[in-house]
Amino acid sequence: MGKTIAEKIFDSHLIDSPFENTYVVKLDRVFCHEITTPIAINDLIERGKDKVFDNTKIKAVIDHVSPAKDSKTAEQEKILRDWAHRQGIKDFFDIGANGVCHAIFPEKGYVRPGYTVIMGDSHTCTHGAFGAFAAGVGTTDLEVGILKGVCSFRQPKTIKFELNGTLRPGVFAKDVILYLIGKIGVNGATNCVVEFTGPVIDNFDMESRMTLCNMAVEAGGTSGICYPDEKTVDYLWPFIQDEFKTKEEALKAYSVWKSDEDAVYEKVYTLDLSDLEPVCTFGYKPDQIKNVSEMKGTKVDQVYIGSCTNGRISDLRIAAEVLKGKKLAEGVRGIVSPATPLVYKQALKEGIIDIFMDAGFCVTNPTCGACLGMSNGVLAGGEVCASTTNRNFNGRMGKGGMVHLMSPATAAATAITGEITNSELFK
C-alpha cells in the first residue's frame, strides 16, 4: 500500500511510537514569536531547563505587536529578546528587521521539502506549501520542541483536494481556499493533513500556495501541504544552490516528497474550479461563504490588506493594479501592512506604496496587529472591515466588529466603492 506525503515525512523523522497511532518525530525547525513563546520560556526557566536543543534550528521573531503598544507587550517582547540573546539564536528578527512570521521565515529560506516544523501559532500550516509538514502546537509541545527537538502527533490522516480547470480572471488563491472551506465546513478536515493537488495548484506560484495552505487550519486541518516542484526549487534556489549542482538535481531530490498513486486518503474531493467566482465571508465563521456578487451593497468602514495570508508582494501588486489612479470611498479608511521589510522595500521600488498612499491608504510597518485586533487597525463596535486576513470570528479585529474575508483584489475594489465589490468591475 502506498503512502501520502505526510506519512513519508513522518516515517523519515520517526523517533518512537510509544502508543498506537502516536508518532514522536524529530523536528527540523521550531519557530517562535512573542505572543506564545514567552509562556514556554518562563515555564522552562521555572523547571530549571533554560536551554535549547539546537540554536541553529530555532528561528524567532517579534511580529504580533510591532513595535510594542504598551508595557505588557513590551514585556512579552523583552522575554523573547533576552532569551534569544541568552541562547545564541542567530536568526532572531527584532524590531526593524522583523516581519510577519509565516512570511519572513519562508522568505529567508528556512523551510524545505520534507521538513517537520512546529510553532505556537495555528497558521504554521502555511509552510506546508513547500512540501513540509508544518503544524501549530500548544505551549507544552512548544516547550518540548525547544528543549528536545521533538514533538508527538497522531498518525497523520489526509484529505486530498484535486483541483482541476483554469481559474477565471479576478479569482485568486484566497477565493479558492475560502470556497473549499465553505464546501467542507470549519470541522471538515479536523485532525487531518489537507493535501492540495491538480492543475490549479500546478499553476499557482509559491506565494499563492502559501495563501492556500495558510487557511487549512480554518477547516480544522493540522497542516496544509503541496507537492514540491520546479517552482519550489526556483523559490528556494538562492538558499540551496550550494547543496545542489543544478536545479534539476534539486528537483530530483525533492521529488521523493510526493504521495504514491495508491496512497490511502480519508476523503478525496475532485473539483473543477473553472466557473469559480470571487467569494468572501458573510458571518462569523470562515465557512460562511457567498459570491462577492451576492454581497453587493454591504457597506464597510475599513479595508485592511496584509497578514500572513495576503501581505506578500504578489498580493500588494494585485491590489495596486485595482487601486491605481483611484481613491478611497468617502468615509472608508484603508490600511496596508506589507508582510516583511523586503516586501515593503520591493513595493517602494515598484511604486506600489505610492499607489496606496495616493489612494488614501495608511501604510504601516510589517505586523500582525490588526489581524487579531491587537494594534494598527482595531475596529470599534459596529464597524465593518473588508480584510485579506484569515479569520472572521466575532470580535477578531475588535469587540463588536464584523470582518469579511476576501482576496486583495476584492478588498481593493471594495475600498474604492465603500461596499463589497467584485474587482472585475475595474478591469
Side-chain angles (χ1 to χ4, degrees):
M1 180 173 23
K3 294 184 177 181
T4 65
I5 178 175
E7 289 171 333
K8 290 181 179 182
I9 293 172
F10 271 50
D11 286 351
S12 69
H13 288 73
L14 182 64
I15 294 175
D16 192 14
S17 183
F19 310 106
E20 186 178 0
N21 295 328
T22 300
Y23 281 58
V24 178
V25 298
K26 177 180 67 175
L27 298 173
D28 295 298
R29 293 287 184 264
V30 177
F31 294 153
C32 301
H33 63 54
E34 88 281 12
I35 298 300
T36 57
T37 308
I39 304 170
I41 292 169
N42 285 341
D43 192 56
L44 287 169
I45 291 172
E46 288 181 12
R47 294 171 182 272
K49 299 182 181 298
D50 183 25
K51 53 187 177 180
V52 300
F53 81 102
D54 187 334
N55 61 9
T56 67
K57 293 183 178 181
I58 295 176
K59 317 294 180 180
V61 65
I62 291 171
D63 65 348
H64 274 57
V65 184
S66 170
K69 66 174 183 174
D70 53 27
S71 296
K72 184 176 180 180
T73 52
E75 183 62 28
Q76 289 283 100
E77 295 175 10
K78 186 178 187 302
I79 292 169
L80 185 70
R81 184 181 295 116
D82 290 349
W83 171 76
H85 293 160
R86 190 167 64 248
Q87 302 298 342
I89 295 171
K90 176 184 175 183
D91 298 314
F92 168 60
F93 301 94
D94 208 337
I95 306 299
N98 58 333
V100 175
C101 56
H102 306 310
I104 198 167
F105 291 150
E107 185 182 271
K108 298 291 185 181
Y110 295 154
V111 186
R112 310 286 171 81
Y115 270 18
T116 51
V117 180
I118 66 166
M119 186 177 193
D121 188 289
S122 56
H123 293 104
T124 307
C125 49
T126 306
H127 307 289
F130 292 85
F133 174 83
V137 297
T139 302
T140 301
D141 285 331
L142 181 61
E143 285 186 44
V144 174
I146 289 170
L147 185 64
K148 296 293 185 180
V150 301
C151 193
S152 79
F153 295 95
R154 293 293 184 186
Q155 185 173 4
K157 298 178 180 179
T158 301
I159 291 175
K160 179 179 180 179
F161 283 102
E162 184 175 335
L163 305 179
N164 299 313
T166 302
L167 297 183
R168 296 165 52 176
V171 178
F172 300 94
K174 184 64 162 289
D175 300 297
V176 171
I177 189 59
L178 287 173
Y179 169 75
L180 297 181
I181 296 167
K183 188 170 187 64
I184 68 172
V186 292
N187 298 315
T190 299
N191 296 326
C192 290
V193 174
V194 183
E195 185 177 299
F196 301 103
T197 67
V200 170
I201 308 305
D202 295 340
N203 289 328
F204 275 165
D205 60 19
M206 290 307 298
E207 295 194 348
S208 295
R209 293 176 191 179
M210 282 187 261
T211 294
L212 199 71
C213 290
N214 175 269
M215 292 190 66
V217 68
E218 308 308 337
T222 302
S223 182
I225 201 162
C226 300
Y227 299 160
D229 60 8
E230 293 90 344
K231 293 178 181 178
T232 316
V233 172
D234 287 342
Y235 186 99
L236 291 173
W237 189 245
F239 312 103
I240 64 174
Q241 55 187 326
D242 292 336
E243 301 174 29
F244 301 99
K245 293 180 180 178
T246 64
K247 289 184 178 181
E248 290 73 22
E249 183 181 308
L251 179 61
K252 182 178 179 181
Y254 290 153
S255 293
V256 301
W257 304 114
K258 292 186 178 181
S259 297
D260 296 325
E261 290 186 5
D262 58 343
V264 177
Y265 294 92
E266 284 293 291
K267 292 181 181 178
V268 177
Y269 296 89
T270 303
L271 305 168
D272 190 324
L273 302 185
S274 300
D275 294 326
L276 181 64
E277 295 182 31
V279 298
C280 67
T281 59
F282 66 86
Y284 291 112
K285 295 197 303 177
D287 61 357
Q288 294 179 305
I289 305 298
K290 287 184 179 179
N291 289 339
V292 171
S293 57
E294 298 177 81
M295 298 290 286
K296 183 178 180 180
T298 304
K299 301 289 186 182
V300 303
D301 301 288
Q302 177 174 295
V303 172
Y304 181 77
I305 298 173
S307 84
C308 61
T309 315
N310 286 124
R312 299 177 180 85
I313 189 63
S314 58
D315 301 309
L316 302 194
R317 286 170 179 156
I318 290 164
E321 183 181 347
V322 177
L323 284 167
K324 190 172 184 179
K326 299 179 175 68
K327 298 283 187 181
L328 283 169
E330 185 175 352
V332 174
R333 59 187 182 272
I335 301 170
V336 59
S337 178
T340 71
L342 183 61
V343 172
Y344 203 128
K345 288 172 70 174
Q346 187 65 32
L348 277 170
K349 182 179 179 180
E350 296 180 18
I352 289 171
I353 299 299
D354 284 340
I355 292 173
F356 279 112
M357 295 186 72
D358 289 345
F361 271 73
C362 167
V363 182
T364 82
N365 59 288
T367 178
C368 302
C371 177
L372 67 164
M374 295 190 76
S375 65
N376 289 36
V378 178
L379 300 176
E383 289 192 320
V384 178
C385 182
S387 180
T388 68
T389 56
N390 45 43
R391 283 190 174 147
N392 58 330
F393 301 163
N394 193 353
R396 169 74 174 180
M397 293 183 72
K399 186 177 180 180
M402 165 63 79
V403 180
H404 297 289
L405 306 178
M406 59 189 65
S407 75
T410 304
T414 299
I416 297 165
T417 64
E419 61 182 56
I420 294 179
T421 302
N422 194 326
S423 68
E424 289 181 321
L425 295 176
F426 294 95
K427 286 190 175 293

